[in-house]
Amino acid sequence: MIKSMIESFSNIFKKPLTHAYPSVPIPKSAHYRGLIQYTEAECIFCDRCEKVCPTSAIVFTQDLDGTKHYHYNHHLCIYCGECTRNCPKIDLALTQSSEKPGIELEKSEQSDAWKRLQEKAKEDRIKYKQNKKKPS
């Protein structure tokens, strides 16, 4: 018992072994890939990134005129980098960065909104194909 009390009191004066996060940021690993950054001007809308994403964190919606819109859910992303590796515009349209995305939503809001967006993307593609088949 005396030994444990001595150990307890000696720990008061020792430097803590844990990180003081968030007051002191934890340094990122040299192998850290980071969040996906998208550049619309460079994108050719081939949809490869959407097809190879294992968690469906990337979705393209489509207007009736054929215009596509990129959507990314950073809550689903596992930072595997498959989208950036499969992009034909290497290091131009998709890159990985340690910067946070501009819009932050609560995880529950993001989940519901994302499900609706995925459904909308499927419906938009069906409508576009049907509209394209109609003779003008």
Side-chain angles (χ1 to χ4, degrees), residues 18-105:
T18 59
H19 294 283
Y21 184 81
S23 60
V24 177
I26 297 173
K28 291 184 174 65
S29 166
H31 302 291
Y32 178 73
R33 295 185 203 138
L35 298 172
I36 304 301
Q37 300 295 315
Y38 171 73
T39 308
E40 185 174 7
E42 296 293 335
C43 186
I44 60 171
F45 299 99
C46 64
D47 299 347
R48 284 187 191 175
C49 53
E50 179 183 22
K51 291 173 186 167
V52 298
C53 183
T55 60
S56 300
I58 297 174
V59 171
F60 282 93
T61 55
Q62 188 168 15
D63 296 336
L64 287 177
D65 64 354
T67 308
K68 291 185 179 182
H69 305 280
Y70 170 88
H71 304 278
Y72 169 64
N73 185 337
H74 63 275
H75 291 296
L76 291 177
C77 186
I78 58 172
Y79 316 109
C80 63
E82 281 302 308
C83 56
T84 56
R85 280 192 286 278
N86 283 280
C87 183
K89 299 282 241 163
I90 298 169
D91 293 332
L92 294 173
L94 286 177
T95 57
Q96 287 186 287
S97 170
S98 60
E99 296 175 16
K100 286 213 172 226
I103 300 171
E104 286 287 332
L105 294 175

